[in-house]
Amino acid sequence: MTLAPGSPGDVLTLISAGSATTRSDLARLTGLARSTISQRVDALIERGLVEETESGESTGGRPPRQLRLHAEEHAFAGVDLGATHCRIALMDMTGDLLAQCEDSLLIGEGPEKVLAHVDGRIDRLLAEAGRPRAALRVIGMGVPGPVEFATGRPNNPPIMPGWNDYPIPDYFPGVDVLVDNDVNVMALGEHRNAFPAARHLLFVKVGTGIGCGIVAEGTLHRGAQGSAGDIGHIRVSGHEESGCRCGNSACLEAVAGGAAVARRLTELGVPAETGADVVALVQAGNTQALRLVREAGRLIGEVLASLVNFFNPEAIVIGGALSRVHEHLLAGIRETIYRRSLPLATHHLSIVPSRMGVDAAVMGAGILAIEHYLSPDNINKIVNA
């Protein structure tokens, strides 16, 4: 839908961004008549979206009334579901944290049991924050597998048995639910909190598998069906013997993911089952683990070098389990990227470990919910309802 300049949604965007704090500011920025601005602001106040206070400094005469988001009557839940964990953050409309929790939870127990746990935990967090269930506006959720974003249905997720095509939003009647894959919400959380000035960013998760979240022109890019950034299944030459869970061979995650590195260590006589085991071995100074992690970094760098030439990002952020030994992983990644990418594309490129760490996904899921609710389209629907 094409928005009219100065629609209620546009006005709220200016207020939420801090670009306008008074009605005079709004009139100046939009070019609309003061009477029209008053109609827009009054409608937003009536819907409980904005409040006006007399806290401005006077320049002579009556102090100007200040506009700000009415955060107290709204709540948003960010949910990070992993293979073995559930993290939930309850946030207000400004993104401030109200309450949070983390539990051990097996995604393989299936959608009914897992989502019942999530629903109950959200209720307890709302009670802890002193807000009723009716205050919950949107739930944002990241899951460890491919998702059709438009419907919120997982699509053949390999580590989520029983979840394929399950309509996750339908489990939560009366509230909007947005479901995305975990690396996308990680990218969003990292960008908004740690790299807000970067217009083009790649967030690479290196865990059991490997995935990439793409921020283009400050916006999360999902592609036509939500599968953009699935770099773990890009073919790496010279590794045809490495079979992948997708049915192909020589996929990046099959040769450089945490599970692949653990398998190679075991073959060398160093027992390891998971990426966490690999991290522990590196931290203990195991030379075989150090060598294989750096080699994994070089292989990941081969793929990322092509992406740098194609996409020209300002920053590449490395997260996931193996990023906990980032000094070794990033050494291999940087070595290959700077050798294989064009000088112009790497001139101002930053390749850094995640600054948000384990909070990237849960905070990104909450931001996904808030930005959906505050989008001009949605605000206009609320005002016009």
Side-chain angles (χ1 to χ4, degrees):
M1 179 174 64
T2 302
L3 298 174
S7 70
D10 293 329
V11 168
L12 187 73
T13 296
L14 291 171
I15 295 171
S16 65
S19 302
T21 58
T22 66
R23 297 186 186 221
S24 296
D25 289 342
L26 290 169
R28 175 175 51 82
L29 291 170
T30 64
L32 296 174
R34 287 181 177 270
S35 59
T36 304
I37 290 296
S38 291
Q39 291 174 355
R40 302 282 191 266
V41 171
D42 290 346
L44 293 171
I45 292 174
E46 183 181 346
R47 297 298 189 278
L49 297 166
V50 168
E51 63 180 347
E52 200 168 25
T53 61
E54 292 185 357
S55 59
E57 295 183 4
S58 174
T59 56
R62 183 177 179 179
R65 295 171 65 83
Q66 299 287 293
L67 297 168
R68 70 178 185 92
L69 295 179
H70 192 182
E72 289 75 12
E73 294 184 3
H74 308 268
F76 303 83
V79 181
D80 166 28
L81 292 178
T84 60
H85 73 262
C86 169
R87 297 186 184 96
I88 304 177
L90 192 69
M91 306 162 77
D92 69 15
M93 196 155 54
T94 67
D96 287 343
L97 190 65
L98 301 174
Q100 61 182 326
C101 67
E102 179 176 353
D103 302 310
S104 294
L105 186 65
L106 297 176
I107 197 80
E109 292 183 345
E112 297 291 338
K113 187 169 183 177
V114 170
L115 296 180
H117 177 90
V118 170
D119 198 39
R121 272 308 216 170
I122 289 175
D123 277 339
R124 287 160 66 180
L125 291 176
L126 285 165
E128 182 182 330
R131 304 203 177 186
R133 179 76 181 204
L136 183 64
R137 302 292 183 243
V138 186
I139 298 171
M141 186 179 299
V143 300
V147 176
E148 186 179 53
F149 182 73
T151 64
R153 295 171 181 257
N155 185 262
N156 293 311
I159 64 169
M160 298 173 65
W163 289 79
N164 184 47
D165 206 36
Y166 186 88
I168 295 175
D170 292 354
Y171 192 89
F172 303 90
V175 60
D176 287 344
V177 181
L178 305 176
V179 186
D180 211 336
N181 72 61
D182 55 1
V183 73
N184 278 349
V185 295
M186 287 177 178
L188 191 62
E190 195 79 35
H191 179 263
R192 298 296 192 266
N193 287 286
F195 299 90
R199 301 297 296 166
H200 300 87
L201 176 145
L202 298 177
F203 182 94
V204 182
K205 178 189 176 186
V206 186
T208 300
I210 299 175
C212 179
I214 305 165
V215 175
E217 289 294 337
T219 301
L220 198 60
H221 175 75
R222 297 183 179 88
Q225 302 299 328
S227 65
D230 200 355
I231 66 171
H233 299 287
I234 293 177
R235 190 173 184 277
V236 180
S237 61
H239 294 270
E240 287 70 19
E241 76 288 351
S242 299
C244 182
R245 59 187 177 179
C246 72
N248 292 317
S249 62
C251 291
L252 178 63
E253 73 173 42
V255 296
V261 176
R263 184 174 61 253
R264 292 184 64 191
L265 281 169
T266 301
E267 292 169 354
L268 293 170
V270 182
E273 295 183 2
T274 66
D277 294 337
V278 175
V279 168
L281 287 167
V282 170
Q283 291 173 337
N286 183 280
T287 56
Q288 296 279 37
L290 287 166
R291 178 178 63 82
L292 290 182
V293 166
R294 185 179 285 260
E295 182 180 323
R298 294 190 188 101
L299 293 170
I300 294 167
E302 291 279 350
V303 170
L304 292 181
S306 297
L307 299 184
V308 168
N309 287 334
F310 177 79
F311 182 61
N312 189 201
E314 298 159 64
I316 297 176
V317 183
I318 308 297
L322 289 193
S323 72
R324 289 161 54 195
V325 287
H326 58 78
E327 62 272 21
H328 306 288
L329 184 68
L330 265 67
I333 291 174
R334 290 185 178 121
E335 174 188 331
T336 309
I337 287 179
Y338 288 123
R339 176 166 49 86
R340 297 294 301 272
S341 299
L342 295 172
L344 181 61
T346 58
H347 187 57
H348 295 293
L349 175 64
S350 297
I351 306 171
V352 295
S354 168
R355 295 177 185 172
M356 294 294 293
V358 297
D359 293 328
V362 71
M363 298 304 290
I367 291 167
L368 179 69
I370 294 169
E371 291 187 353
H372 165 77
Y373 188 76
L374 294 181
S375 67
D377 273 355
N378 192 57
I379 293 301
N380 288 341
K381 290 176 185 176
I382 293 172
V383 170
N384 294 327

